[in-house]
Amino acid sequence: MRPLGGVIHKHFAEAECFCFGIIRCMATKIIAQGVVHKVPTDLREALLSDESALERWQDLTPLARNEWICWNITVKQPETRKKHIERTITELKAGKRRPCCWIGCIHRSDKPISPSVQWVLDKQSKSK
């Protein structure tokens, strides 16, 4: 519902911002996404709660953000995911630009999976 006289600003593609000719504007911060993945809610909340981590996140390339997102969403256990998100915030603040020891996002369709990554995926599927 839009208040009378409210204006939706074009600057906010994902959030509506209503201003009434006043300097103050209630707006939702827009967080940069990855190439394939969108930022999940839990990671978004963690980034919004830490200004330093958010600043570093916004400075990453779309491919680097995609790697962090994929690294967080591909875990199976909720507790592991929570640890990954905490580690994401810590490592961003430490200046890391990509997750360490990660085979990379396998969801990208703009490039083929490398032979080494395919070997890891094959090995994982055989062990299940």
Side-chain angles (χ1 to χ4, degrees), residues 32-124:
Q33 306 291 322
V35 174
V36 176
H37 302 293
K38 302 249 183 255
V39 178
T41 304
D42 48 359
L43 179 56
R44 177 183 170 80
E45 289 171 0
L47 289 166
L48 288 172
S49 70
D50 192 309
E51 193 64 38
S52 178
L54 178 58
E55 184 178 317
R56 286 168 172 78
W57 177 266
Q58 300 290 67
D59 188 50
L60 295 174
T61 66
L63 286 175
R65 287 190 298 267
N66 197 72
E67 294 296 311
W68 282 112
I69 296 167
C70 191
W71 182 72
N72 277 284
I73 65 172
T74 56
V75 296
K76 295 179 183 175
Q77 299 295 321
E79 187 59 35
T80 306
R81 183 167 172 149
K82 183 179 175 196
K83 289 178 184 176
H84 274 224
I85 289 174
E86 290 169 359
R87 187 171 148 196
T88 298
I89 300 302
T90 301
E91 291 191 6
L92 284 170
K93 289 167 53 173
K96 304 274 175 140
R97 299 191 62 84
R98 293 185 189 250
C100 176
C101 311
W102 169 241
I103 63 172
C105 179
I106 60 171
H107 305 102
R108 288 178 52 197
S109 60
D110 62 328
K111 68 174 185 102
I113 295 176
S114 71
S116 59
V117 170
Q118 188 60 57
W119 179 83
V120 170
L121 294 172
D122 291 343
K123 188 172 182 175
Q124 286 176 347

Side-chain angles (χ1 to χ4, degrees), residues 1-21:
M1 188 167 115
R2 187 182 335 183
L4 289 175
V7 177
I8 299 176
H9 283 273
K10 296 175 186 173
H11 308 299
F12 299 96
E14 297 176 0
E16 290 187 340
C17 173
F18 303 110
C19 292
F20 299 93

